Amino acid sequence: MPLVKLRGVHKTFGSNHVLKGIDLDVEAGDVVALIGRSGSGKSTLLRTINGLESIDRGELVVDGVALDDGFGDLRTLRQKVGMVFQQFNLFPHLTVGENVMLALKVVKKTAHAEAGDIAKEMLLKVGLAEKFSAYPDQLSGGQQQRVAIARALAMRPRVLLCDEITSALDPELVNEVLAVVRQLAEEGMTLIMVTHEMRFAREVGNKLIFMHHGLIHESGVPRQLFAEPGTPELANFIGAVS
Amino acid sequence: MAYQFDFLAVFDYGDMLLKGAAFTLAMTAVGAVVGTAIGIAGGMCRAWKLHPLDWLFGAYVELIRNTPFLVQLLFIFFGLPSLGVQISEWQASFLAVVVNLGAYTTEIIRAGIQATPRGQIEAAQSLAMGRLQIFFHVVLRPALQKVWPALSSQIVIVMLGSAVCSQIAAEDLTFAANFIQSRNFRAFETYLVVTAMYFAMAWMVRYALNVFGRRVIVARKPQTRGA
């Protein structure tokens, strides 16, 4: 059984039909790259997977938890799905360590000392152990994004969603974030990422999904699709971004 | 003949002045604490549109900010007893200050809450945090940081405005002034001293709120290591 399963998922914003029936299976350990033009629905699709966007129709199951079961299950679902955002979204009034520890303490009721140990372990993983007591505004964008990854990982999610996590970074800071993601992929973390880093999608991803007009227009193995796109839309898109 | 100033005629009533000042400060302190608590609750309900509480707080805010404080006070002191609620001068004064300040802080704190970047709330939701957890751990502190100067000003405004509580014979600083000048017939000296006392108190309250804001609301933990 797939870790993430979507069947016939529809989403509209007002008169704008953003998702027009998405079927998607993500297996544990998959690294999925979601690509497509702006407005194709790729970010919306990602955000439905942890319930940040409700779905109008269809079915969503993550690790046995179905989304349509109400508010209580929404929080159960979110404990299984971590998310990292384009704008980092660290909590500015908390230190780096407190950012990572907060949900452990208030959601999982982890004791302070244990939460601190987990936070240190996660910060070590992203190479920022020495920033434990710094505040977000004292860090570079790349460092903030690595803290955001550590914060998501601390909850031990089954799958990590990445929403254009390098798009707000200065070019020289992109690689330090991608290196962390690459390491997670190698460790077997299930990743679903909306990305414009085509080279990264090709090298690290094992599934490529091309969204077009609210549908999965084409999907497959990244290397093959990049070499031989099956549709003119994907060929155009690859031509436009590379 | 030139007017002979006699400040001793005022200082003879020093005890009364100090008691009055203490009453005014106590009213302000209670108003600040309870009023801010109301403002936090009201600000959350209004900013997050929690029906029907936001409508109730909305009506409360409109009622208070569109009517004079003196009328609110008179309503509480003379109006409530008609409904069978007996209330003393000092109770009516404290209640009026709390009710008045609570309405203004609701609006001020609501603005701070609404200034929370959407992404921070989404990040907290993604971490499986619940609504109230998000409010108290993620939203509240930065919101108070943003509006602290406005909140401090409003508290001082209400302290100065509380002078009208003397109208129902609550024994605040203005009540003391009225009483003293009716005894010593030294209106100029009495009101000059009381003016100076209000000035000093307002300045002190503002300073105290400033320090509290820096040390508690905006406070940062010391770095254990260079960043």
Side-chain angles (χ1 to χ4, degrees):
Chain A
M1 185 174 153
L3 183 59
V4 177
K5 187 176 92 172
L6 284 83
R7 288 291 177 274
V9 169
H10 285 259
K11 174 74 185 176
T12 51
F13 292 112
S15 60
N16 189 6
H17 202 163
V18 185
L19 300 179
K20 299 175 181 167
I22 301 288
D23 298 324
L24 175 67
D25 286 328
V26 177
E27 307 290 337
D30 272 352
V31 177
V32 180
L34 273 172
I35 62 169
R37 289 182 198 282
S38 156
S40 61
K42 55 193 192 303
S43 270
T44 304
L45 173 59
L46 196 71
R47 289 161 58 85
T48 60
I49 297 175
N50 74 345
L52 280 183
E53 303 293 352
S54 60
I55 58 178
D56 297 332
R57 201 139 50 87
E59 189 191 354
L60 166 66
V61 187
V62 179
D63 198 22
V65 181
L67 180 71
D68 46 20
D69 285 352
F71 193 71
D73 270 49
L74 188 55
R75 289 185 64 189
T76 313
L77 176 106
R78 284 173 176 164
Q79 291 204 36
K80 295 173 181 292
V81 185
M83 184 152 184
V84 185
F85 300 83
Q86 184 176 352
Q87 297 295 340
F88 330 137
N89 295 335
L90 295 182
F91 308 131
H93 61 299
L94 300 179
T95 65
V96 163
E98 288 168 337
N99 262 277
V100 182
M101 290 161 70
L102 179 61
L104 285 171
K105 284 162 66 175
V106 306
V107 177
K108 290 199 166 175
K109 313 292 180 202
T110 309
H112 182 84
E114 195 191 334
D117 290 342
I118 296 172
K120 281 178 193 134
E121 182 194 334
M122 295 304 153
L123 288 170
L124 190 65
K125 201 181 186 60
V126 300
L128 290 171
E130 79 283 2
K131 298 295 187 191
F132 190 88
S133 57
Y135 282 87
D137 62 11
Q138 296 166 327
L139 305 182
S140 72
Q143 290 173 330
Q144 288 189 51
Q145 194 60 295
R146 283 147 67 198
V147 173
I149 293 171
R151 180 174 69 176
L153 291 178
M155 296 295 280
R156 310 252 182 229
R158 297 295 316 278
V159 50
L160 188 65
L161 311 177
C162 300
D163 193 4
E164 300 195 27
I165 63 171
T166 57
S167 298
L169 295 174
D170 291 337
E172 75 273 19
L173 301 176
V174 168
N175 282 334
E176 69 183 58
V177 172
L178 291 184
V180 169
V181 179
R182 185 188 291 261
Q183 178 200 333
L184 291 177
E186 283 164 5
E187 289 169 6
M189 184 79 205
T190 309
L191 294 162
I192 307 177
M193 40 200 309
V194 170
T195 184
H196 295 296
E197 301 289 334
M198 294 303 150
R199 208 166 66 104
F200 188 80
R202 187 167 53 213
E203 288 172 5
V204 181
N206 71 327
K207 250 183 210 173
L208 185 75
I209 291 177
F210 173 61
M211 297 274 301
H212 188 64
H213 292 324
L215 283 167
I216 295 178
H217 198 70
E218 205 172 332
S219 67
V221 178
R223 281 174 199 284
Q224 288 173 8
L225 284 191
F226 277 116
E228 292 174 60
T231 60
E233 288 81 11
L234 178 56
N236 274 339
F237 179 74
I238 292 172
V241 294
S242 51
Chain B
M1 201 180 112
Y3 183 74
Q4 294 288 316
F5 291 104
D6 181 8
F7 283 98
L8 284 177
V10 181
F11 296 132
D12 283 345
Y13 294 91
D15 281 359
M16 213 183 159
L17 287 173
L18 290 179
K19 262 193 186 155
F23 184 96
T24 295
L25 284 174
M27 215 161 39
T28 307
V30 171
V33 172
V34 184
T36 303
I38 293 172
I40 289 170
M44 179 180 79
C45 294
R46 297 267 284 156
W48 285 3
K49 302 193 172 24
L50 306 179
H51 308 317
L53 287 173
D54 64 329
W55 297 325
L56 282 174
F57 274 105
Y60 161 58
V61 166
E62 292 307 323
L63 185 68
I64 296 303
R65 71 177 179 183
N66 292 303
T67 55
F69 179 63
L70 178 58
V71 174
Q72 295 160 15
L73 178 72
L74 295 175
F75 184 83
I76 289 172
F77 186 60
F78 294 114
L80 289 187
S82 309
L83 303 179
V85 183
Q86 291 305 318
I87 192 164
S88 70
E89 301 86 34
W90 77 266
Q91 288 167 335
S93 303
F94 274 58
L95 186 60
V97 163
V98 163
V99 166
N100 185 271
L101 194 53
Y104 286 97
T105 54
T106 292
E107 278 307 89
I108 292 170
I109 294 172
R110 173 174 79 122
I113 293 169
Q114 283 175 330
T116 309
R118 178 94 214 118
Q120 280 176 29
I121 293 172
E122 289 185 348
Q125 287 175 328
S126 299
L127 292 164
M129 290 174 71
R131 240 179 195 207
L132 283 179
Q133 291 173 342
I134 293 173
F135 182 75
F136 285 107
H137 294 285
V138 174
V139 172
L140 185 57
R141 263 270 292 275
L144 287 179
Q145 286 173 7
K146 287 184 196 99
V147 300
W148 194 252
L151 208 54
S152 303
S153 289
Q154 192 60 40
I155 289 168
V156 172
I157 287 169
V158 166
M159 183 184 87
L160 299 178
S162 74
V164 301
C165 293
S166 60
Q167 294 301 305
I168 60 165
E171 298 182 3
D172 76 333
L173 183 53
T174 304
F175 178 87
N178 294 341
F179 179 85
I180 292 165
Q181 69 88 29
S182 73
R183 290 295 174 89
N184 64 9
F185 304 110
R186 291 282 175 178
F188 183 88
E189 291 89 332
T190 305
Y191 287 119
L192 187 69
V193 168
V194 167
T195 301
M197 286 177 74
Y198 267 115
F199 184 92
M201 284 156 60
W203 194 89
M204 268 169 28
V205 168
R206 212 183 291 274
Y207 180 79
L209 287 168
N210 218 321
V211 171
F212 183 81
R214 265 206 318 274
R215 297 263 171 86
V216 181
I217 306 293
V218 189
R220 290 198 155 193
K221 295 188 178 60
Q223 303 278 298
T224 53
R225 205 185 283 237

